[in-house]
């Protein structure tokens, strides 16, 4: 049936010719998960998912996307670049059984961007079933591949448009001219990516500094909140078709999580759940657990500041609730807010450090009253009331409860961690934490047929950016990744002749200095 279906595909002849071509060398990707790597970024994947690794280079932008190489029976090869129109039907013949067809454009524009096209293709339409959204695990690979294509196209644009632009301090140009150098290509450094490219180190550093300025203006954050997507939300499960699983529908999880995120934001900001808000910042992240999550930092107005340890219990709880009085809350705490078991009960868990203890310092100590701590978080009330519950085949007590807000937990039915920021020492750490950047992985390619006996990890392991299906779908839909209010305007302050200037590498340095840069 498939052969008959693909007989109408104009590209099928290329696939049939592959039977006469020997297979390329088989290679295996080895992931490096050593403890010395920053586990916030280089943590081990904990779910079975299809992900992409985008190579990163320090001196130049990432290389162009890999082409599809097609061989004919005569031995000739053809390269199909990622931006060719036939790339998709060649890479995914079952998703484009007829080789693809032209779409009529109903708006005034004669062309659409790559991201607009895939955003259109990945929409849910009741009147027409989508082959893409019904393709199961193949949808994960498709969305990751297409987002890498989109980002690679942006990087290619910056490479072509800015490869001849250089930057240096004004004083550096003056010094170079004084030494007799007039060739602009000999000084300064190349501009690789501007700060406007979301997610690059310049962008993250700028957002971190802007967020720190909020703390300088409005004081330390009062609430640190983390919300994680729950794949068992009724809004997601009700939209699944026959034999569909949540993991294969990143479009659904992204849409529903975004809706929950907007609801939570409105509850905190507009409805003043914690009190009037002076400033806030949040960042959406995608870890290797196949679940999207967001971090909120909330600064309350002076009249609503949480200043006394006695008032912390009004916002945060860290105990197992009474199963008879609060049955719903009891079930949700057991389902979402129990950390573990780790340590002696599960020494191989991903939360364990090299030295054999939990990186999140669980189990906590018993405490009769909430007290102010010297570090980033207070010591919450965890009474030794002999209540134990069975979670993941182990008996756990109050020492294993992740701090939560009872109302928010019942309303959103997901892992929703709420912490009170009790010390000014936590400010820098918290802001750095939420702006730490993309998830990364250290990897190496090894020949499967001739495995290496010894792998030089220092020389052969490369660093790559880990792109999961939820992140790819989120970015294709162009949903907001971070937000900060009030906005911050950066004012450039510098010493005389120490401001940065940009120039073309073909320019004469003497002419550059003749312009008035002020």
């Amino acid at each position: 049936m498939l052969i008959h279906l693909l007989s109408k595909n104009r590209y099928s002849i290329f696939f049939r010719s592959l039977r006469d071509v020997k297979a390329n060398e088989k290679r295996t990707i080895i992931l490096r998960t050593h403890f010395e790597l920053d586990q916030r970024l280089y943590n081990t994947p904990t779910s079975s998912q299809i992900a992409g690794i985008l190579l990163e280079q320090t001196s130049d932008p990432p290389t162009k996307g890999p082409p599809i190489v097609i061989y004919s029976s005569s031995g000739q090869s053809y390269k199909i670049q990622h931006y060719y129109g036939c790339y998709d039907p060649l890479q995914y013949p079952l998703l484009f059984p007829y080789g693809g067809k032209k779409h009529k454009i109903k708006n005034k524009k004669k062309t659409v961007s790559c991201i607009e096209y895939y955003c259109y293709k990945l929409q849910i339409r009741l009147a027409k079933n989508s082959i893409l959204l019904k393709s199961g695990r193949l949808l994960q690979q498709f969305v990751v591949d297409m987002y890498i294509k989109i980002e690679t196209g942006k990087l290619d644009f910056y490479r072509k448009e800015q490869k001849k632009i250089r930057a240096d301090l004004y004083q550096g140009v003056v010094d170079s001219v004084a030494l007799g150098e007039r060739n602009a290509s000999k000084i300064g450094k190349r501009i690789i990516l501007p700060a406007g490219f979301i997610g690059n180190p310049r962008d993250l550093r700028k957002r971190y500094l802007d967020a720190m300025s909020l703390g300088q203006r409005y004081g330390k954050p009062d609430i640190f909140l983390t919300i994680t997507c729950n794949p068992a939300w009724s809004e997601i499960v009700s939209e699944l078709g026959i034999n569909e699983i949540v993991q294969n529908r990143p479009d659904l999880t992204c849409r529903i999580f975004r809706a929950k995120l907007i609801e939570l934001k409105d509850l905190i900001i507009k409805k003043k759940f914690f009190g009037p808000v002076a400033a806030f910042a949040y960042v959406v992240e995608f870890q290797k657990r196949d679940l999207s999550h967001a971090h909120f930092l909330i600064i309350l107005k002076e009249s609503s500041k949480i200043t006394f340890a006695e008032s912390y219990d009004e916002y945060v709880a860290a105990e197992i609730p009474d199963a008879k009085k609060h049955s719903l809350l009891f079930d949700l705490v057991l389902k979402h807010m129990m950390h573990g078991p780790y340590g002696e009960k599960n020494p191989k868990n991903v939360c364990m450090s090299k030295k054999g203890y939990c990186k999140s310092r669980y189990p906590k100590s018993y405490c009769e009253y909430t007290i102010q701590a010297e570090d980033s978080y207070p010591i919450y009330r965890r009474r030794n009331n002999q209540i134990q519950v069975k979670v993941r085949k182990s008996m756990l007590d109050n020492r294993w409860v992740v701090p939560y807000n009872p109302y928010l937990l019942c309303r959103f039915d997901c892992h929703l961690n709420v912490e009170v920021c009790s010390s000014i020492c936590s400010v820098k750490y918290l802001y750095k934490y939420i702006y730490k950047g993309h998830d990364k992985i250290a990897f190496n390619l090894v020949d499967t047929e001739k495995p290496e006996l010894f792998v030089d990890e220092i020389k052969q392991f490369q660093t790559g950016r880990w792109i999961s299906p939820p992140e790819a779908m989120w970015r294709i839909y162009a949903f907001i990744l971070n937000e900060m209010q009030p906005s911050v305007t950066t004012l450039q302050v510098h010493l005389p002749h120490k401001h940065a200037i940009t120039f073309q590498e073909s320019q004469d340095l003497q002419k550059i200095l003749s312009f008035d840069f002020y």
Side-chain angles (χ1 to χ4, degrees):
M1 183 182 68
L2 290 176
I3 292 176
H4 175 71
L5 180 65
L6 294 175
S7 63
K8 299 180 181 180
N9 189 327
R10 53 181 174 168
Y11 302 113
S12 62
I13 184 64
F14 293 108
F15 291 98
R16 296 186 182 185
S17 65
L18 291 177
R19 71 182 69 176
D20 301 324
V21 180
K22 293 183 179 180
N24 294 331
E25 296 181 359
K26 297 182 179 180
R27 294 186 176 271
T28 301
I29 299 178
I30 296 179
L31 302 182
R32 186 188 184 199
T33 57
H34 288 193
F35 290 100
E36 63 266 19
L37 297 174
D38 186 351
Q39 293 301 304
R40 296 176 305 168
L41 302 178
Y42 293 90
N43 54 323
T44 309
T46 57
S47 62
S48 175
Q49 64 176 194
I50 295 177
I53 300 176
L54 187 62
L55 294 181
E56 295 182 341
Q57 300 179 4
T58 56
S59 58
D60 291 296
T63 55
K64 294 183 178 180
I68 298 176
V69 181
I70 299 177
Y71 299 89
S72 64
S73 56
S74 62
Q76 293 181 333
S77 61
Y78 307 89
K79 286 187 177 181
I80 307 299
Q81 299 293 344
H82 66 279
Y83 49 82
Y84 286 7
C86 57
Y87 177 92
D88 293 357
L90 281 171
Q91 183 78 320
Y92 304 94
L94 296 182
L95 298 181
F96 300 88
Y98 302 108
K101 61 181 181 179
K102 295 182 178 180
H103 295 275
K104 294 182 179 179
I105 301 174
K106 297 181 181 181
N107 58 5
K108 296 181 180 180
K109 297 193 299 183
K110 294 183 179 181
T111 59
V112 295
S113 66
C114 191
I115 191 171
E116 288 175 332
Y117 171 75
Y118 290 114
C119 185
Y120 168 82
K121 294 285 290 184
L122 293 168
Q123 297 299 323
I124 300 174
R125 296 176 176 84
L126 299 178
K128 183 179 180 181
N129 289 328
S130 172
I131 296 179
L132 284 176
L133 300 183
K134 301 294 182 181
S135 58
R137 197 169 176 84
L138 186 59
L139 175 63
Q140 296 187 45
Q141 178 178 334
F142 180 81
V143 296
V144 170
D145 196 5
M146 295 308 107
Y147 173 68
I148 291 178
K149 176 196 293 189
I150 293 170
E151 183 154 310
T152 304
K154 293 180 180 179
L155 295 173
D156 287 344
F157 169 79
Y158 287 116
R159 181 187 299 108
K160 293 176 181 178
E161 296 297 323
Q162 298 193 8
K163 64 181 180 181
K164 295 183 179 180
I165 300 179
R166 306 183 74 84
D168 198 359
L169 294 179
Y170 183 86
Q171 187 63 50
V173 178
V174 174
D175 295 341
S176 298
V177 173
L179 293 174
E181 180 63 64
R182 301 188 62 171
N183 188 352
S185 63
K186 301 293 184 180
I187 70 169
K189 60 182 180 179
R190 290 180 56 187
I191 295 179
I192 305 301
L193 285 175
F197 190 85
I198 297 177
N200 83 89
R202 287 190 183 91
D203 172 58
L204 293 175
R205 176 172 174 77
K206 178 181 179 301
R207 294 182 185 278
Y208 164 68
L209 294 175
D210 290 347
M212 287 293 291
S213 66
L214 288 184
Q216 185 179 18
R217 172 65 176 82
Y218 297 100
K220 69 175 182 64
D222 296 283
I223 299 292
F224 179 51
L225 184 149
T226 300
I227 180 174
T228 304
C229 176
N230 179 12
W233 272 328
S234 59
E235 295 89 344
I236 297 177
V237 176
S238 62
E239 293 295 328
L240 295 177
I242 301 175
N243 298 326
E244 277 190 333
I245 60 176
V246 176
Q247 191 182 43
N248 293 334
R249 291 299 302 273
D251 60 311
L252 275 179
T253 57
C254 282
R255 288 180 178 276
I256 301 302
F257 179 68
R258 176 175 177 267
K260 297 285 186 179
L261 191 63
I262 294 175
E263 181 184 357
L264 176 61
K265 175 187 166 185
D266 290 344
L267 181 64
I268 296 173
I269 308 303
K270 295 182 179 179
K271 297 183 180 180
K272 306 175 182 178
F273 179 76
F274 295 107
V277 176
F280 75 94
Y282 76 86
V283 174
V284 180
E285 291 184 343
F286 310 89
Q287 289 184 339
K288 303 181 186 71
R289 295 176 297 175
D290 200 30
L291 294 174
S292 309
H293 64 279
H295 299 297
F296 277 82
L297 276 176
I298 302 165
I299 303 176
L300 300 176
K301 290 186 177 180
E302 204 63 39
S303 59
S304 302
K305 291 284 185 181
I306 308 174
T307 55
F308 299 101
E310 293 78 9
S311 60
Y312 291 173
D313 295 335
E314 300 177 9
Y315 300 90
V316 179
E319 293 181 319
I320 301 172
D322 191 303
K324 296 181 179 179
K325 294 182 179 180
H326 310 285
S327 58
L328 174 61
L329 182 61
F330 176 83
D331 294 337
L332 292 177
V333 170
L334 266 60
K335 183 179 178 181
H336 300 299
M337 307 308 297
M338 300 301 294
H339 188 93
Y342 302 125
E344 296 179 355
K345 299 181 179 181
N346 189 2
K348 295 183 179 180
N349 197 285
V350 294
C351 191
M352 296 299 294
S353 67
K354 186 177 181 180
K355 297 181 180 180
Y357 61 86
C358 175
K359 290 179 291 187
S360 300
R361 301 179 182 178
Y362 281 89
K364 304 291 186 178
S365 302
Y366 287 120
C367 185
E368 288 296 320
Y369 304 97
T370 301
I371 59 178
Q372 189 96 11
E374 295 181 0
D375 56 2
S376 58
Y377 301 122
I379 299 176
Y380 299 105
R381 182 178 63 187
R382 300 174 188 270
R383 292 168 291 188
N384 187 7
N385 51 16
Q386 306 301 321
I387 297 179
Q388 290 188 338
V389 293
K390 190 174 184 180
V391 179
R392 292 178 280 275
K393 300 180 180 180
S394 298
M395 299 303 295
L396 305 180
D397 51 30
N398 286 336
R399 296 175 298 169
W400 299 88
V401 179
V402 179
Y404 64 92
N405 179 276
Y407 175 80
L408 293 180
L409 181 59
C410 291
R411 178 162 179 169
F412 289 95
D413 183 19
C414 65
H415 179 84
L416 206 156
N417 176 214
V418 179
E419 303 270 9
V420 176
C421 305
S422 61
S423 172
I424 193 66
C425 298
S426 65
V427 174
K428 187 175 181 180
Y429 166 77
L430 291 175
Y431 282 126
K432 273 192 172 182
Y433 182 82
I434 68 172
Y435 291 113
K436 60 182 178 291
H438 305 294
D439 257 22
K440 297 182 178 181
I441 199 74
F443 71 98
N444 182 41
L445 290 177
V446 177
D447 192 340
T448 305
E449 298 178 351
K450 299 178 181 180
E452 299 180 28
L453 297 178
F454 175 75
V455 177
D456 188 340
E457 296 184 353
I458 297 177
K459 293 182 179 180
Q460 297 187 15
F461 272 92
Q462 305 177 69
T463 297
R465 177 180 158 202
W466 185 271
I467 301 177
S468 61
E471 179 181 2
M473 191 67 75
W474 190 281
R475 288 175 172 267
I476 288 175
Y477 283 154
F479 292 157
I480 295 176
L481 284 166
N482 48 64
E483 186 179 358
M484 183 188 304
Q485 286 187 8
S487 59
V488 178
T489 302
T490 304
L491 299 178
Q492 296 293 337
V493 180
H494 54 80
L495 296 174
H497 302 303
K498 295 294 183 180
H499 58 290
I501 60 174
T502 58
F503 46 87
Q504 294 282 345
E505 64 177 16
S506 59
Q507 286 183 275
D508 188 319
L509 293 181
Q510 191 67 47
K511 293 183 178 180
I512 295 175
L513 296 178
S514 64
F515 292 99
D516 183 10
F517 290 97
Y518 292 97

